[in-house]
Amino acid sequence: MSWQNYVSTMKKISLTSQIAIALVLAIIAGVLLGGHADFADTYIKPFGTIFMNLLKFIVVPLVLFSIMAGILSMNDITKVGRLGLRAVVFFMITTVIAAALGLILPTFVKDALPVIHIVPDGSATAVEVPHFSVMDQIVNMFPHNIVVPMSDMTMIQIIVIAVFFGIAMVHVGEKGEMARKVTLSFNEVVTKILSYIMALAPYGVFCMLTPVVVKNGPSVLGSYVVLVLLDYLCFFVHALLVYTPSVYLLGRLSPVRFFKRMQSAMLFAFSSDSSVATLPYTMRCVESLGVRKDISSFVLPLGATINMDGVAIYLGVTSVFMAHCCGIDLSFQQYLAIAFASTVASIGTPGIPGGSLALMAMVFASANIPVECVAIAAGVDRIVDMGRTVMSITGDATCAVVMQRICK
């Protein structure tokens, strides 16, 4: 087959199908390359890293210009305030429910399932507990420098910058017309660059996932199977009981249509375990559901930053599971501490692979669970991270659909 015929054939296959094929091929290749982790890390993983670097490179300008363009398209600052407030309230409600589910379900089933018996000792890997407070989270939302948030990909600060510039351009009127045209022009350029990168998605997925399968092998879950199953069971229940009714009752949209259109974003989120990197795919899927671009370009970047339902579930499940493995019976006060810490900490979790591990230490410490258990839980963090990233981007899309209906 010539290269032209190959390109023509690939164009006929949907992006969802291409990513699904890449996932299957990555699993097959990972199993066949079992025991050759060095080869996978040396010759396959770098191409996946290149793809992820391209996505991360475009995410900052995408968020910056798409939010400003979204505000400019509204032409009414009161709309921005109402939309932002409603979206934040929706995200907070779903996150609280997710944290509660992550505690309740494992508590009911933990005694009926086998566990990993853990006896923490001094030889366990030490994990530094980060200092944390609600006020710190609020203060950290506002940047002291316009360059540092972009270089560090501090998304919440980038959103604040974009909101200030967008509102200012609307307020200055004709004097800001040049800035308005430049912003909208850059938004189109960034969107075009994004389309180039998205065409590489199947190859990037294959190169990212294959080394993971090689390292873990067929026994990827191993002795951690209970923890992984509990996490994914909670993810499924949360999607069934929270996202599905929200889409149907509040968004007035068929859940079947919603999840079908979200397939490509969910598959990419599963393979990349990065809600920030998945943002371009989420935007495209949500807009195919009829959500206006001014809403999606504002709600989705906001959700990628503060909506981490999957992380809230994961922190709750892992806390209960590790406490049970250590022979600790959690009290009601400890449950409340975990619920509060999981809810608030999930808001500040970076939307990148492994972003929740540092905050897990804080959650464990809040309930007097041995902090060294973080190192034990990290064994399956990559596997669970795939599922919780899917939850987070699905929650973002659900909010966008609901806001589309409410704003009408």
Side-chain angles (χ1 to χ4, degrees):
M1 179 185 294
S2 66
W3 175 252
Q4 289 79 8
N5 290 336
Y6 172 76
V7 173
S8 177
T9 302
M10 290 301 291
K11 286 183 177 179
K12 294 179 182 178
I13 303 176
S14 66
L15 181 63
T16 301
S17 300
Q18 291 181 37
I19 294 177
I21 292 171
L23 285 170
V24 173
L25 291 178
I27 294 172
I28 295 173
V31 172
L32 294 177
L33 290 172
H36 298 84
D38 291 340
F39 175 84
D41 285 340
T42 304
Y43 297 104
I44 298 178
K45 186 176 179 180
F47 294 101
T49 302
I50 291 173
F51 177 67
M52 286 299 295
N53 288 344
L54 289 174
L55 276 175
K56 291 176 182 178
F57 131 76
I58 200 62
V59 161
V60 170
L62 175 68
V63 171
L64 186 66
F65 288 108
S66 65
I67 288 181
M68 289 193 291
I71 293 174
L72 291 173
S73 65
M74 290 184 182
N75 288 316
D76 186 352
I77 301 304
T78 58
K79 289 183 180 180
V80 179
R82 289 197 301 267
L83 177 60
L85 179 60
R86 290 167 178 170
V88 169
V89 170
F90 182 88
F91 287 142
M92 289 304 299
I93 291 174
T94 60
T95 301
V96 169
I97 295 173
L101 177 64
L103 291 173
I104 294 172
L105 189 57
T107 300
F108 277 120
V109 302
K110 65 180 181 179
D111 293 330
L113 296 171
V115 298
I116 308 168
H117 293 288
I118 301 170
V119 181
D121 55 38
S123 63
T125 304
V127 180
E128 182 180 355
V129 181
H131 295 288
F132 173 85
S133 73
V134 176
M135 292 308 300
D136 286 340
Q137 290 289 80
I138 295 175
V139 170
N140 289 335
M141 289 174 58
F142 299 91
H144 68 278
N145 184 301
I146 196 172
V147 177
V148 173
M150 297 181 189
S151 62
D152 293 344
M153 290 186 68
T154 309
M155 301 308 297
I156 188 64
Q157 294 186 1
I158 293 173
I159 290 175
V160 171
I161 292 171
V163 169
F164 271 106
F165 273 87
I167 292 175
M169 280 187 279
V170 173
H171 273 161
V172 297
E174 292 183 2
K175 293 182 179 179
E177 188 62 27
M178 180 63 70
R180 180 192 184 101
K181 290 181 179 179
V182 170
T183 298
L184 295 177
S185 178
F186 266 109
N187 188 48
E188 292 297 324
V189 172
V190 169
T191 302
K192 191 62 179 178
I193 295 175
L194 177 62
S195 68
Y196 301 151
I197 299 173
M198 289 180 70
L200 302 174
Y203 311 101
V205 168
F206 175 84
C207 294
M208 286 186 298
L209 195 57
T210 299
V212 176
V213 179
V214 171
K215 287 181 180 179
N216 292 280
S219 59
V220 62
L221 302 182
S223 60
Y224 297 97
V225 65
V226 176
L227 175 59
V228 175
L229 289 178
L230 281 175
D231 280 310
Y232 277 88
L233 177 60
C234 289
F235 295 157
F236 175 78
V237 172
H238 188 69
L240 183 65
L241 300 183
V242 178
Y243 297 152
T244 301
S246 296
V247 168
Y248 182 70
L249 299 176
L250 301 179
R252 299 296 183 183
L253 184 69
S254 166
V256 175
R257 182 167 178 257
F258 172 79
F259 285 108
K260 185 176 181 180
R261 291 293 179 91
M262 285 297 298
Q263 281 182 6
S264 62
M266 294 170 73
L267 283 171
F268 185 82
F270 184 81
S271 61
S272 68
D273 67 37
S274 173
S275 56
V276 172
T278 311
L279 184 58
Y281 299 88
T282 312
M283 284 185 170
R284 175 176 290 187
C285 293
V286 164
E287 288 169 12
S288 73
L289 288 167
V291 177
R292 299 200 312 268
K293 192 169 184 178
D294 59 329
I295 292 179
S296 66
S297 63
F298 184 84
V299 172
L300 295 180
L302 180 66
T305 303
I306 70 171
N307 177 45
M308 297 290 173
D309 289 357
V311 175
I313 290 174
Y314 173 66
L315 292 175
V317 171
T318 307
S319 298
V320 174
F321 182 82
M322 287 299 170
H324 185 56
C325 290
C326 293
I328 300 173
D329 291 325
L330 296 174
S331 65
F332 180 70
Q333 288 75 15
Q334 287 175 305
Y335 275 111
L336 289 179
I338 294 172
F340 176 78
S342 299
T343 300
V344 182
S346 64
I347 297 174
T349 305
I352 57 176
S356 63
L357 283 177
L359 293 176
M360 188 188 297
M362 181 273 297
V363 175
F364 282 3
S366 69
N368 294 322
I369 299 171
V371 178
E372 56 263 33
C373 287
V374 172
I376 301 172
V380 291
D381 182 74
R382 181 66 165 81
I383 305 300
V384 179
D385 202 3
M386 297 174 177
R388 66 177 182 249
T389 304
V390 173
M391 291 299 302
S392 296
I393 67 105
T394 305
D396 299 344
T398 300
C399 181
V401 169
V402 171
M403 292 303 109
Q404 164 78 6
R405 176 69 181 178
I406 291 177
C407 289
K408 284 185 177 180

